[in-house]
Amino acid sequence: MQEKFDALKESAKRELESISSSKFLGELKAKYVGKNGEVTALLRGMKDVPADKRAEFGKMVNDLKVEVSTLFDEKEKQLKDKEMQEKFDSEAVDISLAGKVNKNGSLHPLNIVKNKILDAFCGMGFEVFEGPEIDTDYYCFQALNIPKDHPARDMQDTFYISDNVLLRPHTSPGQVRTMERKQPPIKILSPGRVYRADDDASHSPMFHQIEGLVVDKGVSLCDLKGLLDEFVKIMFDGDTKTRFRPSYFPFTEPSVEVDVTCCKCHGKGCSLCKGTGWIEILGAGVVNKKVLEMSGIDSEVYSGLAFGLGIERITMIKYGISDIRTLFENNVKFLKQFNRR
Ligand code: DAH
């Protein structure tokens, strides 16, 4: 009997040795220790064993079953380890190879600056209103106190579509459209593209402006000064100062042009500020009463302040760009410099 058992064990060992993949292991295991396997079959022969030998026989068969099962378990572990190692080897990554760097896109410098300006003013309670790029003579000029044939129209060389319809030369119509729709308190920014027949290193036929308008009771030039002081500190650095120079715009009275201390030399005088220590950044003023009245706002009760700034101009000052055209050439080498700024 013992020989029979030993032969069975040997045969299982031999067959196991010839197996090189865990795929075939299950079938072979069934052949020996499965329900209809050879070891299980031995138990069926129990009835032919004399009664006094049955207990010993049962134990022997069970021991055999445990031994053969252990052989299978060991082989299974061996094969699984081998297969896992092969998988690791085939999926290995050569970490010494040079990596592929993803080319990240970035915002255009004009959008970076526009967002920064909007953020600065929205933090002070302004809302954004965008007007149309093609507008009428009324909104672009007349409602801003620039009547037909008024010489102030020469300040803007305009692209006309018809006698009455034009590409807006500034974002100031946004003031009028807001006041027509809404009674004070008003605190809006109107950003967008504007168009003028201008083309040189500091002027482009299409550029971007942001208009600001505040209308409420008791709004004055002091509020304008405080507002713009705060804005330039956020936009440039904390030491930047503003200076108001008297100017003329038909839609504001009084009107000012606003300079900031040069961000390159901090007021000492350099090539960027042409030796003056100051750089002009925007036009502004107290809204002309006529403009308020034309848009349906009672100028006896309310007053307003307005300002208009060029996004290109601020961008050029901020980043030291000397030719406006570089902002529109879409040269990737140029644009890449603004990545993550
Ligand atoms: N619209 C003017 C321009 O394009 C800029 C401007 C000046 C806007 C004074 C204003 C302002 O709101 O008050 O040159």
Side-chain angles (χ1 to χ4, degrees):
M1 186 58 67
Q2 186 62 47
E3 289 97 74
K4 197 175 171 193
F5 282 20
D6 288 346
L8 210 102
K9 213 165 108 185
E10 276 312 306
S11 144
K13 264 190 192 165
R14 242 179 294 114
E15 285 209 77
L16 269 176
E17 258 161 38
S18 68
I19 275 189
S20 60
S21 162
S22 58
K23 264 193 298 195
F24 309 115
L25 205 63
E27 215 175 294
L28 192 61
K29 195 171 177 179
K31 180 177 164 197
Y32 285 96
V33 287
K35 232 167 58 192
N36 298 316
E38 292 186 28
V39 177
T40 322
L42 289 175
L43 282 175
R44 267 184 234 119
M46 185 88 111
K47 57 180 185 327
D48 304 326
V49 177
D52 59 335
K53 294 266 186 323
R54 274 189 195 154
E56 193 191 346
F57 178 79
K59 186 175 176 305
M60 279 171 75
V61 176
N62 271 332
D63 288 349
L64 179 68
K65 195 171 178 182
V66 170
E67 276 175 64
V68 174
S69 294
T70 308
L71 287 177
F72 274 96
D73 290 348
E74 278 165 4
K75 183 73 180 182
E76 188 175 5
K77 183 170 180 315
Q78 212 181 40
L79 288 175
K80 285 259 160 71
D81 286 352
K82 187 178 125 246
E83 281 160 7
M84 187 63 87
Q85 192 54 48
E86 280 167 3
K87 191 167 181 283
F88 285 157
D89 291 347
S90 72
E91 289 174 0
V93 174
D94 182 353
I95 55 167
S96 67
L97 275 179
K100 283 188 201 141
V101 179
N102 283 336
K103 287 184 186 150
N104 285 342
S106 65
L107 287 181
H108 190 280
L110 289 175
N111 278 328
I112 296 175
V113 171
K114 174 185 149 188
N115 290 345
K116 206 160 177 201
I117 298 171
L118 295 184
D119 273 358
F121 284 108
C122 289
M124 294 189 255
F126 281 72
E127 286 173 305
V128 175
F129 164 78
E130 286 184 41
E133 279 176 44
I134 298 174
D135 215 335
T136 61
D137 189 281
Y138 177 77
Y139 284 107
C140 292
F141 296 123
Q142 294 172 52
L144 290 162
N145 194 32
I146 314 175
K148 288 232 180 228
D149 306 320
H150 191 280
R153 290 200 178 203
D154 293 346
M155 285 161 71
Q156 288 146 353
D157 296 314
T158 313
F159 292 112
Y160 281 91
I161 290 167
S162 69
D163 277 354
N164 229 359
V165 178
L166 53 139
L167 297 180
R168 65 175 173 195
H170 52 183
T171 43
S172 300
Q175 292 186 27
V176 180
R177 289 183 176 274
T178 305
M179 289 189 285
E180 281 183 349
R181 268 168 226 205
K182 192 173 167 351
Q183 280 297 305
I186 291 171
K187 231 176 163 183
I188 60 109
L189 287 179
S190 189
R193 286 193 200 102
V194 299
Y195 302 85
R196 287 187 205 175
D198 254 346
D199 197 6
D200 59 38
S202 46
H203 297 91
S204 159
M206 184 284 299
F207 62 105
H208 301 78
Q209 284 189 334
I210 297 185
E211 192 78 13
L213 174 73
V214 177
V215 185
D216 206 345
K217 287 181 185 158
V219 171
S220 72
L221 202 63
C222 284
D223 297 309
L224 180 65
K225 176 91 171 128
L227 187 73
L228 295 179
D229 278 354
E230 186 60 27
F231 163 64
V232 299
K233 286 201 174 75
I234 298 173
M235 205 55 208
F236 300 101
D237 64 43
D239 299 331
T240 310
K241 294 190 177 51
T242 59
R243 170 174 89 169
F244 279 22
R245 276 181 295 105
S247 185
Y248 171 73
F249 299 102
F251 31 92
T252 42
E253 183 58 40
S255 302
V256 292
E257 269 171 326
V258 180
D259 300 339
V260 291
T261 41
C262 177
C263 52
K264 197 167 158 199
C265 67
H266 301 282
K268 286 191 205 77
C270 68
S271 57
L272 183 65
C273 58
K274 300 193 183 81
T276 62
W278 295 93
I279 297 179
E280 185 203 319
I281 58 157
L282 56 88
V286 171
V287 181
N288 193 314
K289 287 188 168 204
K290 277 197 197 164
V291 173
L292 292 178
E293 292 293 339
M294 274 189 278
S295 299
I297 305 260
D298 186 346
S299 66
E300 293 302 317
V301 181
Y302 297 108
S303 56
L305 61 85
F307 55 90
L309 53 84
I311 302 179
E312 280 76 2
R313 184 157 177 80
I314 307 264
T315 307
M316 289 166 78
I317 295 169
K318 209 170 151 53
Y319 296 127
I321 297 166
S322 53
D323 191 329
I324 195 170
R325 288 168 290 209
T326 50
L327 290 168
F328 303 113
E329 280 164 356
N330 289 334
N331 178 342
V332 175
K333 263 193 191 162
F334 170 78
L335 295 174
K336 254 164 89 173
Q337 302 175 86
F338 302 91
N339 219 339
R340 276 185 229 107
R341 280 206 202 191

